[in-house]
Amino acid sequence: MSDDSEPWYRTAVFYEVAVHSYADSNGDGIGDLQGLTERLAYLEWLGITAIWILPIFPSPMRDGGYDVSDYLGIRPEFGDFDDFRTLIEQAHRRGIRVITDFIVNHTSNQHPWFQEARLPGSRKRDWYVWTDDPSTYSEARVIFVDTHTSNWAWDEVAGQYYWHRFFDHQPDLNYDNPAVRDAIADAMRFWLDMGLDGLRLDAVPYLFEREGTNCENLPETHAYLKEIRSMIDDEYPGVVLLAEANQRPEDLLAYFGDGDECHMAFNFPIMPLLFLAVASDDATVVAKELAATPDIPRGCQWSVFLRNHDELTLEMVTSTQRAALYDAYAPDPAMRKNVGIRRRLAPLLNGDRRKIELLHAVLLSLPGSPVMYYGDEIGMGDDIVLPDRDGVRTPMQWNPTPSAGWSDADPTHFYLPVVSDDAYGPNRVNVHDERADEHSLLSAVRNLIAMRPPAFGTAAFKVLNPGDPRVLAIARGEFTVAANFSSAPLTVRCGTDSYVAGNGTIKGNSVSLPPYGWLWMGPA
Ligand code: GLC
Ligand code: CA
């Protein structure tokens, strides 16, 4: 599967997939596990070596399944445990690992634990976080600023306020309660026993609350994660824990512990800067952020990404940068969501193939393991008319028919509509046609993955100075990467003379790059 001396996730190419939107095997208008299993051949062809599956727990689906009503079940529309085991088996047969989302911080208010906790005198009351005084923990920010002004919500039945960092239908679990910590660890075991290769720990900075703090990244949270890691090391060696912590680098680093906490963490700070660099013809922000990216403990790995199922978060940039990003990428206020932009990769970049390929080339060569978002490999569009973040979660476009070949149901029964605009509808953007065309975006992305040296996952990195702010140059072990973030053709010096991939030309140690051009150089 991979270089034996390296843990698998350090050389993996990840692919994030929303089961409900990928492929519907039984024609009910909702994607399912069997549908995904049937598409594994496509993912193998694309060069994907690990998939990350968005939540499949039973859920009222008021937050895309991040509102869990049962940790020990599967949403019936998605299939059953046999379907899930089959998916894992079939993926493994193709050399593809499988990780799933695990929602640690909160449940749905429909979870039986919460329903019981609300009842007066309930023994489960302290499974959640309650107060009589909603000024408690007032230093914690509100995350979903478009829909909420407080992290406390009043519960009529309980006669108290309960704590929620996200939607008010998602009460936070109380990690001070050992019974909660044990129940969550047991639920993880339940899933890992089915052969899973890892868990994405959703919203992991917010597990504990303490007065006088912002209730994020607390030492208690790290202590619990170390306990979980030690369970993984003892009982499930090889399984990876991936932290979703939208935090500054120094706070993020803590999620690796001393190599005894999470194996991986998303690199949130670098992501919006890639978009800022393309918009401003200036790669300096990326170079600076990379240079400031701390070394991580042995065996750990960053997850790097361009887009995902959420809004393109702008929480980690300065207010000036945020304004520039909103200006460039969200001219219509409907494109904005919370502190971010709810659009997909291709429309963000105006469908400009040069920019889309540049960012993929950079993504695949940044320190870390890349995580691609389903549909971005074919240049799928979005639908800002749909509520919340649904516009970036529309059905995968497999073929040029109006239903995109993802479901046989009557389109009026589709869980979410297929993107239908002229530029991004299935007649223009789909797997079938792009697979047949060697000049398509899909073919380009597939070639990039195929040519990506494993060293991009594992080698040390160093930011180089190419002498032009418009060019990002980084050394990755024996390799050099040069990327032109501007619309001008440029020639820079970045010292190597062997070509691996890209659309620039090399003469001695001088490198010529077309607008938005890039080169991977090094031992072929
Ligand atoms: C994570 C998920 C997001 C969800 C939130 C609350 O940030 O990525 O989709 O809404 O957690 O569960
Ligand atoms: Ca179905």
Side-chain angles (χ1 to χ4, degrees), residues 41 60 63 210 234-235 254 257 274 285 334 338 423 448 462-463:
D63 180 20
R210 290 291 179 265
D234 289 350
E235 301 171 35
L274 297 168
V285 281
N338 297 318
L448 272 170
K462 196 172 159 228
V463 180

Side-chain angles (χ1 to χ4, degrees), residues 197-220:
D197 300 296
L199 302 172
R200 170 190 181 268
L201 303 181
D202 179 67
V204 79
Y206 318 107
L207 303 190
F208 286 80
E209 299 74 32
R210 290 291 179 265
E211 199 54 76
T213 74
N214 66 357
C215 299
E216 304 191 8
N217 315 315
L218 297 184
E220 292 82 354

Side-chain angles (χ1 to χ4, degrees), residues 463-482:
V463 180
L464 305 173
N465 179 4
D468 189 316
R470 294 168 290 186
V471 174
L472 174 72
I474 38 178
R476 302 299 322 279
E478 298 177 283
F479 296 87
T480 304
V481 177

